[in-house]
Amino acid sequence: ISSFNPQSLVTLLWATAKLQQQGFSTKLLDHIQSEILERKGKFFTAQSVANTLWSFAKVKYEPSPLLIDRIQSEIPGQLEHFNAQEISNTFWAFAKLSMTPNDDVMSGLQHEMVLKREDFTSQGVSNVLWSLAKLSFVMVDPIFSETIETQASSIVNTFSPQEIANTIWAYGQMRMQPSRRFLSLLSRQATTRISDWKPEEISGLLWGLVKLSRHPEGDLSHWIQRQAVQQSASFTDQGRGVVVWALEQLNIPFIDDMLEKFIPDAEYDGEENYVARENEEAPFQDPERKNGLEFYGGTSNGV
């Protein structure tokens, strides 16, 4: 692979990640990483940063600190070229790798998200929030937090149950209070999509509301219990426990079927942290964009 240009190396890494279900070679990933580190001069574009990090995160391969340092050193020079999907994927990958970006990268990506807020989809917003919560991020920039809420509110009717649950879970995990209007909008959308809610999403939603000391708006508390009862056989014991614990913490009366279906097998005492399930796969950008090729290093060119 020493003859591969930068685009080919990133594409090979991406293909390895995409084919992980068919098995992959850790030695190949080691070689790709070594080859990137040996290259002189600027290597990464915004797109290749996102795709490289996404690929390593997808196959649960921990890149060396040297490679992470190199990637982070090149991100500031590429920030203006990051699109919404690349920002979301980069945050997601750092969270999956349990690696907190340095201050320059974190603040730079936040700034770009503010500038490109209208390009973020519901999945992009929820992925960023989930990622920041996983990284134990403390939201201190009011402009950034307001941007997230404003954009999410404007597209709230596109939020899926998982995106709603992950958003509420993330707010709860970060102890960041959403506005009453935003929570009301999310609750309304949750009720509209009530038949689509799955056990993990119900548990994540209720856990987040407890951490925020906020009650579901409107009839959501009733309908979410109805949906939980219908799917009771699919809940884990911990999931049942989270639901029962959350309803008790929020002083929400149990509907009759909840007493029969949930309490006997509920196992959760409120002490252990509950982690929301991330989107199964972050939206990924193929090496060649549909709107044309990106050129870097003299060669044409994420989750």
Side-chain angles (χ1 to χ4, degrees):
I1 62 177
S2 60
S3 63
F4 280 30
N5 58 38
Q7 177 234 348
S8 297
L9 278 174
V10 174
T11 301
L12 177 61
L13 181 59
W14 167 79
T16 302
K18 290 292 284 186
L19 294 173
Q20 66 162 324
Q21 299 302 325
Q22 301 174 28
F24 67 93
S25 170
T26 301
K27 289 185 178 180
L28 176 58
L29 299 180
D30 292 339
H31 283 311
I32 294 173
Q33 177 174 244
S34 297
E35 191 62 34
I36 293 174
L37 287 172
E38 289 177 7
R39 300 296 175 95
K40 305 299 183 182
K42 297 294 183 182
F43 182 91
F44 292 100
T45 65
Q47 186 181 17
S48 62
V49 164
N51 288 356
T52 297
L53 289 171
W54 178 91
S55 298
F56 282 131
K58 184 65 178 173
V59 297
K60 299 184 171 100
Y61 177 93
E62 184 176 342
S64 74
L66 285 176
L67 182 57
I68 292 299
D69 286 346
R70 176 164 185 179
I71 290 173
Q72 294 199 95
S73 72
E74 293 193 29
I75 287 178
Q78 294 292 331
L79 281 170
E80 65 180 297
H81 303 299
F82 272 79
N83 62 29
Q85 190 173 357
E86 291 157 356
I87 294 170
S88 174
N89 285 2
T90 300
F91 273 128
W92 180 89
F94 273 119
K96 289 292 288 182
L97 292 168
S98 298
M99 295 179 176
T100 302
N102 63 36
D103 290 343
D104 288 342
V105 171
M106 182 69 84
S107 61
L109 289 174
Q110 289 180 63
H111 178 68
E112 291 304 312
M113 185 171 181
V114 170
L115 295 178
K116 296 155 185 171
R117 55 191 176 275
E118 294 182 358
D119 297 330
F120 276 81
T121 64
S122 56
Q123 188 178 20
V125 171
S126 65
N127 276 351
V128 169
L129 285 169
W130 180 89
S131 302
L132 293 175
K134 282 282 288 181
L135 293 170
S136 300
F137 179 72
V138 177
M139 195 77 71
V140 295
D141 184 350
I143 296 177
F144 181 59
S145 58
E146 181 181 340
T147 294
I148 289 179
E149 185 169 305
T150 299
Q151 177 59 10
S153 296
S154 71
I155 57 174
V156 71
N157 63 342
T158 67
F159 271 69
S160 69
Q162 186 176 3
E163 291 159 1
I164 296 170
N166 284 5
T167 296
I168 295 297
W169 175 87
Y171 271 87
Q173 181 74 3
M174 293 187 287
R175 303 298 195 273
M176 184 174 75
Q177 287 290 338
S179 69
R180 182 173 182 179
R181 177 179 179 273
F182 183 41
L183 186 59
S184 178
L185 289 171
L186 286 174
S187 295
R188 191 178 310 158
Q189 175 67 2
T191 304
T192 300
R193 296 286 302 275
I194 196 65
S195 61
D196 298 325
W197 281 78
K198 298 176 182 177
E200 299 94 337
E201 297 156 0
I202 294 171
S203 300
L205 169 71
L206 291 173
W207 187 91
L209 288 171
V210 170
K211 293 303 177 180
L212 293 171
S213 299
R214 305 285 285 272
H215 283 71
E217 297 278 336
D219 296 330
L220 181 58
S221 60
H222 172 81
W223 290 113
I224 207 71
Q225 289 190 71
R226 286 291 179 201
Q227 183 67 4
V229 168
Q230 289 182 14
Q231 299 201 33
S232 61
S234 299
F235 274 83
T236 63
D237 288 346
Q238 187 197 35
R240 294 169 185 270
V242 169
V243 171
V244 172
W245 169 82
L247 293 174
E248 290 176 341
Q249 293 294 312
L250 295 171
N251 293 316
I252 296 174
F254 293 105
I255 63 174
D256 291 341
D257 290 344
M258 286 292 292
L259 301 176
E260 176 185 349
K261 298 281 187 180
F262 272 74
I263 289 182
D265 297 316
E267 294 183 4
Y268 185 73
D269 59 9
E271 296 299 321
E272 181 182 357
N273 191 25
Y274 185 79
V275 180
R277 177 175 61 88
E278 80 276 10
N279 288 326
E280 293 182 359
E281 181 172 319
F284 182 71
Q285 192 163 306
D286 288 336
E288 290 190 1
R289 292 173 171 166
K290 292 182 179 179
N291 61 349
L293 299 177
E294 177 177 294
F295 290 81
Y296 64 107
T299 306
S300 63
N301 181 25
V303 98

